[in-house]
């Protein structure tokens, strides 16, 4: 008997006749000791399965048909008390956000103890059991840890605690929903390793939900790729990742910049995954509108899942599969800008010290050096990447460059002219040469401004006497340049998709024709396929405008794809800097090496994830 | 109009509290404006033959005095109607003053931070050490009694309420990247505050304004009750309660009627403010939608 | 109490000093704006200009305002609170009689208000999404639309006049002799000296005024507790607890309430301070011999020495209640406690 088996599971949103199916006819099995990866971009419906199991579907969502069998009993119709009896005992969850998944006012010991009480461990044994469990996930000094509160722990440590709790009852099934997404790269690898080892040791069936195809193919035995609520491809992880068949799976893989090998321009799909409200209008294959090889029949009938190998099935028609194979090979080589122009930005020995915050008793904390003596130059037409994990000081560096923060020491010059953060003259110099693209378009775009007034916002500043007609014309040309339809000019940010918002964000920065853009994590919130579109847009802008870029990111692969030079930051220090190819092919600093080792490699023969260190 | 604004207005229009509050407030405003035409008597007119008459529906009532008369034989209904003028005048002027003072200080404090914020913050701390009634009493002793002094006192007390709440909201907005983006687009500080920060806190300002109107009605009633507001012969609800308190045993309606008037007016502004807060507070809106 | 709590308390006391200095200066300056001359008003009709000048000199009113302030402050620090113009008695005497009464009243009002508020908040939360919640919600709107002093009058009308079951004038029934002062607090003294007749009478006299004060606080507590509970149950850790199969009531008591209590505690801190303001009119209406009554008498008679001191004492009370609540908050919040 399979540990978990879905049979034609269909979840709908809303009531009435023609309701959108958020999950359509989902079927899979997970056996004891097996790992099934559910892969998909946001909106694919991959989190719905966990919610069906935990009976925590959003309001209005319900299981319309099909069944979800756990050890033979259907979880969908199970009485609530029997389900509660299974949860935490036979079925456990590992959450996405470890820091918010633990109660901030209870100690780790209290919460672990409560869980052990729930699964029937006698009071006297609980503390020892908890300590042993924490030791098992390689947490150092578990006894002391039990008396701490969650906020005294890092995200990675909280996640290990939650993993230990999940395995405490020796459950038959564990559902891990994006368990590493909220964590830093290096922590991610560790957590994946721990989950995998525990799962193997305990023979647990694991449902691993993720947006990261590359990660899933390293972690899982089987993969199931979801697109807009449909299973588009299912099969053994090795087969699916080595030879993806569905045009979407192929596109997903092709949109992901590699960390090694030859540079090809990323192949992008137009547009993005349809939202739930558009599902009912898509009668056939939901991928058809974006599919590079779709034929007219695709849009009218849903193709069945066709076997293409051992246990490997694809929801696509035969002719398209053949065409898809041809289409993806033809990716052109990546053209790098090699002509270095005049140096625009010079940063020399810049440091930023933040004084400590006063606590409740008014005592000042020790403070922090966010950036310690950083040097950067960026020339026109040059793309420079800054890589680091959270707290590395990379965002502070961007703020210092833009004059949003004042450096404690060091020198910043634009076109050789020194600029100091807050004086009007340096502000003039900066505004003429530099612009910034912000990380989170949700926060960067004023929700009360329509797109036209967002992209041309700079024209409202003093000394810009423009007429409304000129402004509209400027807005139109910026829209074209950033690949946005002029129809969107009257829209407001809430009516745009994530990718569109980020394009508006870029268009606004381009309005005053800067020579250098500073981009802080501008693709981190986007799905892979949309991320590829934005990366290519930046490359096109360089070709068209000869613009320079200071690109801040935690994602090594993205930086490698985009940048000519790269610097690696850790705790405010620049630990390594140099031409991208050199740094990536021959990393010298141990931290750079550790960062690279933490990324799941393309080559399936390389062992990954790396062994765990205690923390 | 942005879809956000439209959605917000729609939520307000659909919110029963907002609509009930608005209707009740409008009713009070109409009564106050139309007092000379609505009131059956002159509010000062004494009819010493008909003192302490009960309301017309109880035994011994007189239809000429629908809600009865007070110790001097003045028509309670007419005095209530004219009292609405005093209450609304104070509420509107005082709440406007407190809103302007508090919001400007909050914007400056929250936007610029640093020492300006520190000074304004300490000023608020000092003000918060006073229970509002005590500060009002002290101010009115110092400035002398009178309805305009009451307004000034309410402004000098109420600004802290605006300042505290709006300042923390300004700080939240200030951290949004679009404020930094406006600066990078070349906006001056004043432009940034007016075009980017103020619109974001405006719903909160409107909400607080409505609640402050209710508070002002109460403070005016308290001050006229202890005789520090209007002249003793002017018809104000607090004065009416103070006058009728002495004869509370025989004629409880003399107290109950103005209490009901205060209740209705304050309820109107509270419902309105409360409904607006629920309809406009983004946190509440999203949490209700996700439930 | 832990060391950190004592440290916090000490710091709050230190911080209170500059605030009180500013407050006293502010009060002093505001009161010197006074258009009328309180001294002239307190003199008998036949007094001469010379008498007036003499009296003004006696009260130090012939000097400049900063000078007067410093003299007054200096005396205050040496324990000389000045003399009342109207009552012709030392201010210290008046305050030390009135203060315990007010503190007792506010204490009872707070306890009652918090109890009613917490019970109501929990009820609203338990009935969320049902008619009961709507009724309670509208009820709070209604309760909040009537200020404490009107509640005082309405309570008198109902429980004093219409159904005369509770006394509403003064602090004790006439004819009862006071117990010997031990602490100065009537309730404590009568309990210590086993004067149960006095204790009973005092408590009965406090029911209505304390209720009037409590009605001002309870709806606010209800609302804040309910909305914090609503917010907390959407937190990730509640979902996770459910996914671990923890029963709902355990989740409510162990996980939700502990977190939702924090905003409620801060609210009580602010509103507890305001409650002292509410006593002013409530005491006056119930002829309850506390600080509020003293304040109203002083205000009506422009008795500046009394107003100054009473105003300052109110500020001390507010700061004290804030400090106590801060300590409670600190103890309830491990994030601050372990910082």
């Amino acid at each position: 008997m399979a540990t978990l088996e879905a049979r034609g599971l269909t979840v709908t949103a809303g009531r009435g006749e023609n309701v959108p199916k958020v999950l359509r006819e989902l079927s899979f099995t997970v056996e004891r000791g097996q790992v099934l990866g559910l892969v998909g971009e946001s909106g694919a419906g991959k989190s719905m399965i966990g919610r069906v199991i935990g009976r925590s579907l959003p309001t209005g969502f319900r299981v319309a048909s099909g069944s979800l069998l756990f050890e033979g009993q259907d979880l969908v119709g199970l009485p609530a008390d029997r389900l509660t009896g299974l949860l935490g005992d036979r079925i456990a969850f590992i959450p996405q956000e470890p820091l918010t998944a633990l109660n901030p006012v209870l100690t780790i010991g209290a919460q672990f103890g409560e869980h052990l009480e729930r699964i029937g461990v006698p009071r006297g044994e609980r503390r020892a059991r908890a300590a042993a469990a924490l030791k098992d996930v390689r947490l150092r000094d578990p006894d002391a840890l039990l008396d701490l509160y969650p906020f005294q722990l890092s995200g990675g440590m909280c996640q290990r605690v939650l993993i230990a709790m999940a395995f405490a009852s020796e459950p038959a099934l564990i559902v891990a929903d994006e368990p590493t997404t909220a964590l830093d790269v290096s922590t991610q690898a560790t957590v994946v390793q721990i989950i995998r080892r525990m799962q193997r040791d305990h023979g647990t069936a694991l449902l691993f939900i993720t947006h990261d195809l590359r990660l899933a193919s390293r972690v899982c035995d089987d993969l199931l790729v979801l697109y807009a609520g449909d299973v588009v491809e299912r099969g053994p992880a090795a087969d699916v990742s080595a030879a993806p068949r569905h045009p979407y799976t192929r596109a997903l893989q092709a949109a992901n910049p590699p960390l090694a090998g030859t540079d090809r321009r990323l192949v992008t799909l137009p547009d993005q995954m349809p939202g739930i409200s558009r599902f009912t209008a898509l009668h056939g294959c939901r991928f058809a509108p974006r599919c590079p090889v779709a034929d007219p029949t695709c849009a009218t009938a849903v193709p069945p899942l066709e076997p293409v190998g051992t246990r490997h099935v694809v929801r696509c028609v035969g002719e398209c599969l053949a065409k898809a194979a041809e289409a993806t090979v033809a990716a052109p080589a990546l053209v790098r800008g090699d002509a270095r122009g005049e140096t625009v930005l010079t940063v020399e020995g810049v440091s930023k010290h933040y004084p400590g915050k006063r606590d409740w008793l008014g005592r000042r904390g020790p403070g922090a050096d966010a950036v310690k003596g950083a040097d950067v130059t960026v020339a026109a037409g040059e793309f420079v990447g800054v890589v680091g994990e959270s707290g590395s000081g990379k965002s502070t560096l961007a703020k210092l460059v833009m004059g949003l923060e004042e450096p404690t020491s060091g020198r910043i010059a634009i076109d050789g002219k020194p600029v100091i953060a807050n004086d009007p003259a340096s502000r003039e110099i900066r505004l003429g040469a530099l612009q910034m693209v912000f990380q989170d378009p949700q926060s960067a775009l004023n929700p009360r401004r329509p797109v036209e007034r967002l992209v041309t916002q700079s024209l409202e500043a003093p000394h810009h006497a423009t007429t409304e007609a000129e402004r509209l014309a400027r807005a139109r040309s910026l829209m074209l340049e950033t690949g946005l339809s002029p129809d969107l000019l009257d829209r407001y940010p809430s009516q745009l998709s994530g990718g569109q918002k980020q394009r508006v964000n870029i268009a606004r920065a381009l309005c005053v024709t800067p020579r250098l853009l500073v981009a802080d994590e501008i693709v981190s919130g986007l799905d892979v396929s949309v991320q590829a579109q934005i990366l290519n847009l930046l490359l096109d802008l360089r070709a068209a405008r000869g613009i320079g870029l200071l690109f801040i990111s935690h994602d090594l692969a993205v930086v490698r794809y985009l940048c000519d030079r790269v610097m690696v930051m850790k705790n405010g220090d620049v630990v390594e800097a140099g031409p991208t190819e050199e740094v990536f092919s021959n990393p010298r600093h141990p931290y750079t090496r550790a960062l690279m080792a933490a990324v799941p490699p393309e080559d399936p023969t390389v062992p990954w994830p790396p062994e765990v260190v205690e923390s | 109009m942005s879809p956000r604004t439209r959605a917000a207005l729609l939520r307000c229009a659909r919110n029963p509290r907002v609509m009930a509050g608005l209707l009740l407030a409008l009713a009070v405003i109409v009564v106050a404006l139309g007092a000379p035409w609505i009131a059956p008597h002159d509010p000062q007119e004494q009819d010493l033959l008909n003192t302490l008459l009960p309301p017309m529906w109880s035994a011994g009532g007189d239809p000429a005095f629908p809600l009865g008369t007070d110790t001097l034989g003045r028509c309670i209904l007419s005095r209530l109607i004219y009292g609405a003028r005093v209450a609304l005048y104070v509420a509107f002027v005082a709440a406007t003053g407190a809103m302007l003072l508090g919001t400007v200080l909050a914007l400056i404090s929250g936007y610029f931070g640093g020492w300006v914020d520190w000074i304004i913050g300490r000023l608020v701390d000092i003000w918060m050490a006073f229970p509002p009634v005590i500060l009002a009493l002290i101010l009115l002793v110092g400035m002398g009694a009178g309805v305009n002094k009451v307004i000034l006192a309410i402004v000098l007390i109420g600004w802290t309420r605006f300042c505290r709440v709006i300042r923390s909201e300004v700080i939240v907005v200030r951290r949004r990247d679009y404020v930094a983006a406006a600066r990078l687009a070349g906006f001056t500080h004043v432009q940034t505050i007016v075009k980017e920060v103020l619109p974001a806190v405006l719903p909160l300002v409107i909400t607080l304004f409505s609640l402050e109107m209710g508070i002002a009605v109460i403070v005016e009633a308290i001050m006229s009750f202890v005789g520090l507001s209007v002249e003793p012969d002017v018809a104000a609800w607090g004065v009416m309660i103070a006058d009728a308190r002495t004869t509370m045993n025989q004629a409880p309606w003399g107290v109950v009627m103005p209490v009901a008037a205060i209740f209705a007016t304050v309820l109107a502004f509270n419902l309105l403010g409360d409904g607006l807060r629920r309809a406009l507070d983004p946190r509440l809106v999203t949490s209700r939608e996700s439930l | 109490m832990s060391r950190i709590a004592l440290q916090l308390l000490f710091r709050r006391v230190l911080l209170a000093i500059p605030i009180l200095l500013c407050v006293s200066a502010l009060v002093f300056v505001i009161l010197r704006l006074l258009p009328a001359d309180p001294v002239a008003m307190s003199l008998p009709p036949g007094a001469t200009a010379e008498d007036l000048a003499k009296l003004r000199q006696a009260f130090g009113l012939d000097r400049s305002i900063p000078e007067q302030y410093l003299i007054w402050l200096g005396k205050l620090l040496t324990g000389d609170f000045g003399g009342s113009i109207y009552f012709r008695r030392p201010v210290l005497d008046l305050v030390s009689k009135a203060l315990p009464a007010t503190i007792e009243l506010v204490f009872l009002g707070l306890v009652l208000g918090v109890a009613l508020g917490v019970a109501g908040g929990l009820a609203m939360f338990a009935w969320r999404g049902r008619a009961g919640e709507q009724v309670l919600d509208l009820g709070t709107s209604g309760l909040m639309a009537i200020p404490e002093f009107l509640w005082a009058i309405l309570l008198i009308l109902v429980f004093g006049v219409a159904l005369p079951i509770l006394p509403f004038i003064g602090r004790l029934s006439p004819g009862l002799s006071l117990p010997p002062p031990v602490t100065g607090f009537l309730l404590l003294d009568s309990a210590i000296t086993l004067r149960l007749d006095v204790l009973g009478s005092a408590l009965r006299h406090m029911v209505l005024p304390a209720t009037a004060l409590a009605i001002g606080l309870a709806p606010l507590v209800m609302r804040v507790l309910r909305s914090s509970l609503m917010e907390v149950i959407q937190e990730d850790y509640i979902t996770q607890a459910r996914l671990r199969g923890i029963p709902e009531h355990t989740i409510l008591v162990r996980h939700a309430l502990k977190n939702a209590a924090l905003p409620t505690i801060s609210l009580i801190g602010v509103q507890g301070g305001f409650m002292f303001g509410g006593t002013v009119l409530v005491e006056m209406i119930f002829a309850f011999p506390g600080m509020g009554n003293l304040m109203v008498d002083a205000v009506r008679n422009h008795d500046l020495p009394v107003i100054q001191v009473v105003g300052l004492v109110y500020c001390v009370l507010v700061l004290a209640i804030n400090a106590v609540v801060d300590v409670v908050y600190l103890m309830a919040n491990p994030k601050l406690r372990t910082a």
Side-chain angles (χ1 to χ4, degrees), chain C residues 109-280:
Chain C
L110 264 181
V111 170
L112 199 60
V114 171
L116 287 174
V118 169
L122 284 175
M124 270 173 103
F125 178 73
W127 296 330
R128 62 186 179 277
R130 281 186 262 162
E133 186 197 16
Q134 292 297 320
V135 170
L136 279 180
D137 200 18
L138 277 176
T140 56
S141 295
L143 291 179
M144 286 196 296
I146 300 182
E148 291 102 334
F149 85 106
L150 295 185
W151 279 120
I153 293 176
L154 292 179
L155 287 172
I156 291 177
L157 271 178
V158 176
F159 297 104
V161 178
L163 323 160
I165 51 176
L166 283 168
F168 58 90
I169 293 173
R171 204 180 177 195
L172 274 181
S173 306
L176 281 174
S177 63
L178 285 175
V182 183
T183 59
F185 291 91
L186 183 60
L187 293 182
L188 281 180
D189 288 354
S190 54
I192 292 170
T193 54
L194 291 176
R195 289 288 303 279
L196 297 184
D197 54 335
V198 174
L199 183 64
S201 170
L203 279 174
R204 278 168 56 80
H205 276 82
M206 286 170 80
V207 170
L208 290 183
T211 307
L213 292 176
I215 297 177
L217 177 65
L220 293 166
V221 173
M222 269 169 86
R223 289 193 162 188
V224 169
L225 182 62
R226 172 189 161 271
S227 65
S228 349
L229 276 171
M230 294 295 281
E231 224 165 274
V232 166
I233 54 153
Q234 290 182 50
E235 292 285 344
D236 208 9
Y237 52 80
I238 300 290
T239 316
Q240 292 305 323
R242 285 204 184 112
L243 289 179
R244 282 200 294 272
I246 309 287
E248 278 299 308
H249 63 268
T250 315
I251 290 180
L252 176 65
V253 173
R254 198 179 292 163
H255 292 270
L257 258 184
K258 275 195 179 161
N259 283 284
L262 296 174
T264 315
I265 293 172
S266 335
L267 173 94
I268 294 169
V270 175
Q271 293 302 323
F274 289 166
M275 192 179 270
F276 281 108
T279 60
V280 174

Side-chain angles (χ1 to χ4, degrees), chain B residues 131-218:
Chain B
V133 177
I134 301 293
L135 185 54
L137 286 174
I138 291 172
L139 281 168
L140 287 174
V141 170
M143 300 185 298
V147 69
N148 288 323
K149 306 286 175 52
V150 170
I151 290 176
L152 190 55
I154 295 173
V155 172
L156 288 177
I157 296 162
W159 71 272
T160 49
R161 249 186 298 271
F162 284 88
C163 192
R164 268 168 52 224
V165 180
I166 295 171
R167 175 185 166 273
S168 49
E169 186 68 15
V170 168
I171 288 173
V172 172
V173 176
R174 179 82 175 84
R175 285 200 208 106
R176 301 250 161 85
D177 287 337
Y178 67 74
V179 176
R183 285 290 290 159
L184 295 179
F187 278 29
T188 61
H189 286 303
V190 175
Q191 260 185 322
T192 313
I193 292 177
V194 172
K195 289 191 168 183
E196 309 289 314
V197 181
L198 183 59
V201 298
L202 210 53
L204 188 61
V205 175
I206 296 170
T207 303
L208 288 177
F209 177 76
S210 183
L211 296 174
E212 184 70 24
M213 298 250 286
I215 292 170
V217 170
I218 292 177

Side-chain angles (χ1 to χ4, degrees), chain A residues 183-417:
Chain A
L183 306 173
D184 268 328
V185 195
S186 49
T187 322
Q188 239 176 55
T190 328
V191 166
V192 166
Q193 206 278 340
I194 291 171
I195 294 178
R196 195 75 172 95
R197 181 176 54 79
M198 301 275 287
Q199 175 268 334
R200 216 174 277 140
D201 294 352
H202 295 255
T204 321
L206 174 65
L207 207 55
F208 191 85
I209 301 165
T210 178
H211 67 282
D212 190 339
L213 179 60
R214 195 149 52 183
L215 176 67
S217 57
R218 297 305 298 243
V219 174
C220 307
D221 300 313
D222 276 6
L223 288 187
L224 188 150
V225 182
L226 280 166
Y227 183 86
D230 275 339
V231 180
V232 293
E233 186 158 359
R234 192 180 70 213
D239 297 354
V240 175
S241 61
R245 301 296 301 276
H246 194 278
Y248 175 67
T249 321
R250 283 173 185 277
L252 208 54
Q253 207 175 42
N256 216 342
L259 202 56
T262 47
D263 298 336
R264 295 201 162 275
R265 194 175 158 93
L266 297 177
V267 185
T268 59
L269 292 170
D271 211 4
Q272 60 163 8
M273 196 183 304
I276 293 174
S277 54
R278 281 173 57 203
F279 283 4
T280 45
L282 298 168
H283 300 292
C285 172
R286 284 177 177 169
F287 184 60
R290 296 175 75 195
C291 184
V293 295
D295 61 36
T297 57
C298 295
T300 52
V302 185
L305 281 169
E306 298 281 358
V308 290
T310 338
R311 299 195 299 123
H312 190 172
V313 291
V314 171
R315 192 183 294 283
C316 195
V317 285
E319 312 87 84
C320 294
L321 286 176
K323 277 190 278 173
E326 291 161 29
T328 34
V329 193
L334 180 65
V335 190
R336 288 202 182 278
D338 44 11
R340 275 195 65 182
E342 297 263 308
T343 300
V344 179
L345 173 73
T346 317
V347 174
E348 282 170 10
V350 160
S351 299
K352 176 69 186 176
H353 176 83
Y354 288 109
K357 275 200 180 142
R358 288 181 184 278
D359 67 6
W360 255 52
L361 296 172
R363 295 171 302 197
R364 227 180 234 298
D369 289 303
V371 178
K372 301 174 211 162
D375 301 308
V376 199
T377 59
V378 188
E382 188 185 29
F383 282 16
V384 176
V386 181
V387 187
E389 298 187 287
S390 51
S392 63
K394 56 190 197 304
S395 290
T396 309
L397 183 64
K399 286 188 186 142
L400 292 172
V401 168
M402 290 313 298
L404 294 172
E405 298 268 5
E406 235 168 310
T408 321
S409 64
R411 181 174 166 276
I412 299 176
I414 289 160
D415 300 324
K417 286 171 274 189

Side-chain angles (χ1 to χ4, degrees), chain B residues 16-17 122 125-135 137-145 149 161 164 218-219 221-223 225-228 238 241-242 245 248-253 255-256 258-260 262-268 270-271 274 277-278 283-284 286-288 290-291, chain C residues 18-20 22-24 26-27 30-35 134 137-138 140-147 149-150 153-154 156-157 161 168 223 226-227 230-231 233-234 270 273-278 280-281 284-286 295-296 298-300 302 304 307 310-312 314-316 318-319 322:
Chain B
R17 282 167 185 271
R122 296 297 77 75
D125 278 353
I126 292 169
W127 250 251
M128 291 292 292
F130 284 104
V133 177
I134 301 293
L135 185 54
L137 286 174
I138 291 172
L139 281 168
L140 287 174
V141 170
M143 300 185 298
K149 306 286 175 52
R161 249 186 298 271
R164 268 168 52 224
I218 292 177
V219 176
I222 292 176
M223 291 308 148
F225 180 76
V226 295
L228 290 172
I241 295 171
R245 201 162 76 93
M248 199 159 64
N249 287 330
Q250 314 99 286
W253 59 87
V255 170
V256 172
V259 169
I262 294 172
F263 170 72
T265 314
V266 176
L267 184 68
N270 281 1
L271 282 177
D274 216 31
R277 188 177 54 80
R278 292 177 194 212
R283 274 187 318 149
L284 283 171
T286 48
S287 68
R288 192 166 329 137
S290 66
L291 257 178
Chain C
I19 291 184
L20 286 174
C22 293
V23 161
S24 62
L26 197 68
V27 170
I30 293 172
L31 291 179
R32 290 309 176 277
L33 299 171
L34 185 62
Q134 292 297 320
D137 200 18
L138 277 176
T140 56
S141 295
L143 291 179
M144 286 196 296
I146 300 182
F149 85 106
L150 295 185
I153 293 176
L154 292 179
I156 291 177
L157 271 178
V161 178
F168 58 90
R223 289 193 162 188
R226 172 189 161 271
S227 65
M230 294 295 281
E231 224 165 274
I233 54 153
Q234 290 182 50
V270 175
F274 289 166
M275 192 179 270
F276 281 108
V280 174
L281 283 154
M284 174 196 147
I285 288 164
F286 286 102
M295 182 75 179
V296 173
V299 165
R300 286 192 166 152
H302 296 284
L304 300 195
I307 298 176
V310 171
L312 201 58
Y314 270 113
C315 293
V316 173
V318 170
L319 293 174
N322 287 169

